[in-house]
Amino acid sequence: MSSEKQNTSKQTPQSDWKLELDKQWKHVSTKAGDFFNDHKSMFSLTNIAAAVGGTLTVVWLASGVYIVDQGNRGVVSRFGAYTETTLPGPHWHIPAPIESVANVNVEQQRFIEVGYTDASRVNKSSVIPQESLMLTADENIITVRLAVQYQINNARDYLFNVKNNENTLKQLTESVERAVIGRNNMDFVLTEGRSQIVAEIKEQIQEAMDAYKAGISIASVNLQDAQPPEEVQGAFEDAIRAREDKQRLINEAEAYSNEVIPKARGAASRIIQEAEAYEAEKVAKAKGETERFDQLLVEYEKSPAITRKRLYLEAKEKLYSSTNKIMLNEDQSSPMMYMPLPQTMTQHAQPAASHTEPEVSAEPHNVDKNGVRKSTGNELRPSRSKP
């Protein structure tokens, strides 16, 4: 009995809740019915259709509001045809299906790879033989990996003129690359020709994209790697080392040549200048002697005896000034003696020097039977022997 009473007490609040809900529902229904009866004209089918249509129209028009982010361009098309390009900011267009808007990022740097896949998108960078193997002008095969960086410079052309722009650019790049590589030898491609080849590829790709009006600007072309196939890597490295040794020896020879040739030219120039100076000196001296002789001839013609006497005295003065010995004749009966006066003067000036005996000539002179020396005409000619 107690359990039944407990169950009855538990079910009583649930019945009260339902009764209260029903009461409130009847009250609301009564109020709604009274409002509908009082305003039957407002709930006509026409008015309801107008309200629903107005609401849908407002929602549809509101869906035409769009915002173009910074660095993007909004391309508006009406029934698929280009209408306008909008700049960053809020805009409105006629909602779909009449008009549609495509946002195109014109500042993003985009990349394509030819001959390999980027390591950032896969576990490791891998070569694609179908794209990387190329034939050079000298019929050698090399592996080339190229990366092209580009961005969109015209959103309208990018969307409407070319279908699948990235695939088109990749195929075009591979075609241009094969054409440029095929016009050059392998050594040129692998060594000093890299920058020239990259510039030529970039120029031709840009010309082709401009002809297509693709709206793409090529920012840079990077030659990631260019090398012969793995099968001939060893032989190619040996050839490179030999080429480097050759260039090193050439550079050393040129350095030696640049060092020796200027020295030889300087020595030759110095010798030539010395010869010219010697020539000028001798010519000037000869001219001076000639002029002096001409002047002397004039004086001689004026007074031959005086000029002859003066020349004789000048010759004696010059002769005695350059000799190292003097002649002494104290007595007519004694023989002629020669004394080295310069050595004697030097000994007096430098007493610490080693003493040298005077050289005395004991050669007899021509004398007659009475002891008188005969004149030979050579009395004024001292000995020219050195002290």
Side-chain angles (χ1 to χ4, degrees):
M1 293 294 294
S2 59
S3 62
E4 292 179 359
K5 291 181 180 180
Q6 291 178 357
N7 293 335
T8 305
S9 62
K10 290 180 180 179
Q11 294 175 358
T12 301
Q14 185 176 3
S15 300
D16 293 341
W17 177 77
K18 289 183 178 181
L19 291 174
E20 185 65 24
L21 180 61
D22 293 339
K23 183 180 178 180
Q24 293 296 331
W25 174 253
K26 290 179 181 180
H27 179 72
V28 172
S29 299
T30 303
K31 290 291 185 182
D34 294 340
F35 180 80
F36 180 76
N37 292 329
D38 295 338
H39 303 84
K40 286 183 177 181
S41 60
M42 293 181 58
F43 294 95
S44 63
L45 184 60
T46 303
N47 291 336
I48 294 175
V52 172
T55 302
L56 294 177
T57 301
V58 172
V59 173
W60 179 71
L61 293 175
S63 66
V65 177
Y66 67 97
I67 297 176
V68 179
D69 295 332
Q70 188 67 31
N72 291 4
R73 296 293 184 270
V75 180
V76 182
S77 58
R78 184 176 300 164
F79 298 114
Y82 171 79
T83 302
E84 63 176 343
T85 301
T86 56
L87 299 175
H91 302 277
W92 181 86
H93 71 97
I94 301 175
I98 299 176
E99 290 184 350
S100 61
V101 178
N103 285 327
V104 180
N105 192 330
V106 296
E107 293 184 358
Q108 179 184 1
Q109 296 292 334
R110 306 164 190 261
F111 298 88
I112 62 169
E113 298 86 19
V114 178
Y116 72 106
T117 56
D118 193 359
S120 62
R121 296 201 294 261
V122 294
N123 295 331
K124 61 179 181 179
S125 179
S126 59
V127 178
I128 304 176
Q130 295 82 358
E131 297 179 0
S132 62
L133 293 177
M134 299 187 182
L135 188 66
T136 61
D138 51 356
E139 298 182 355
N140 287 313
I141 297 177
I142 60 175
T143 301
V144 181
R145 293 185 290 177
L146 196 72
V148 178
Q149 181 180 359
Y150 70 97
Q151 66 183 97
I152 300 171
N153 62 1
N154 191 310
R156 174 188 176 181
D157 293 344
Y158 181 79
L159 292 177
F160 289 94
N161 291 342
V162 177
K163 184 178 180 180
N164 197 348
N165 303 76
E166 183 173 347
N167 189 32
T168 301
L169 178 59
K170 184 172 183 178
Q171 293 179 2
L172 175 63
T173 301
E174 183 179 352
S175 176
V176 171
E177 181 184 5
R178 291 186 182 278
V180 174
I181 296 295
R183 290 195 297 265
N184 296 278
N185 294 332
M186 183 181 68
D187 292 342
F188 181 77
V189 175
L190 300 180
T191 55
E192 72 273 9
R194 287 174 173 256
S195 58
Q196 179 178 341
I197 289 174
V198 166
E200 188 174 353
I201 291 174
K202 178 182 177 182
E203 181 181 358
Q204 294 188 16
I205 293 175
Q206 188 64 65
E207 290 178 356
M209 299 309 291
D210 292 342
Y212 293 162
K213 295 182 180 180
I216 291 177
S217 175
I218 306 300
S220 65
V221 175
N222 300 318
L223 188 61
Q224 302 292 346
D225 190 17
Q227 59 184 0
E230 296 180 358
E231 293 78 5
V232 294
Q233 246 337 317
F236 182 75
E237 291 177 357
D238 293 339
I240 291 178
R241 284 193 291 268
R243 188 184 301 109
E244 292 176 352
D245 292 340
K246 173 185 176 182
Q247 188 62 39
R248 178 178 56 81
L249 295 175
I250 291 175
N251 294 336
E252 292 177 355
E254 290 179 351
Y256 178 75
S257 174
N258 294 333
E259 178 183 1
V260 173
I261 291 178
K263 291 182 179 180
R265 290 176 178 173
S269 177
R270 179 177 56 81
I271 294 173
I272 292 174
Q273 292 176 359
E274 291 178 354
E276 292 176 351
Y278 179 77
E279 177 188 10
E281 178 185 1
K282 291 301 180 180
V283 170
K285 186 175 181 181
K287 289 181 179 179
E289 293 292 336
T290 302
E291 292 177 358
R292 187 181 66 82
F293 182 80
D294 292 339
Q295 295 175 359
L296 183 62
L297 178 61
V298 173
E299 297 296 330
Y300 182 81
E301 291 177 350
K302 292 180 180 179
S303 54
I306 296 175
T307 303
R308 189 183 302 110
K309 182 66 175 177
R310 181 172 66 83
L311 291 175
Y312 173 73
L313 295 176
E314 289 178 355
K316 289 177 63 178
E317 180 182 3
K318 182 177 180 181
L319 182 64
Y320 282 114
S321 63
S322 60
T323 186
N324 295 327
K325 297 179 181 180
I326 61 174
M327 181 179 64
L328 298 177
N329 188 9
E330 295 179 354
D331 189 5
Q332 293 290 337
S333 61
S334 63
M336 188 66 64
M337 299 180 62
Y338 294 92
M339 180 177 181
L341 183 59
Q343 289 185 4
T344 304
M345 296 174 64
T346 302
Q347 291 174 2
H348 286 290
Q350 301 177 356
S354 59
H355 180 70
T356 304
E357 293 294 334
E359 181 179 351
V360 179
S361 176
E363 296 179 359
H365 293 274
N366 296 326
V367 295
D368 55 5
K369 60 182 179 179
N370 296 325
V372 179
R373 182 175 60 85
K374 295 182 180 180
S375 176
T376 60
N378 297 326
E379 294 177 357
L380 297 180
R381 296 182 182 179
S383 173
R384 289 186 176 271
S385 61
K386 294 182 180 180

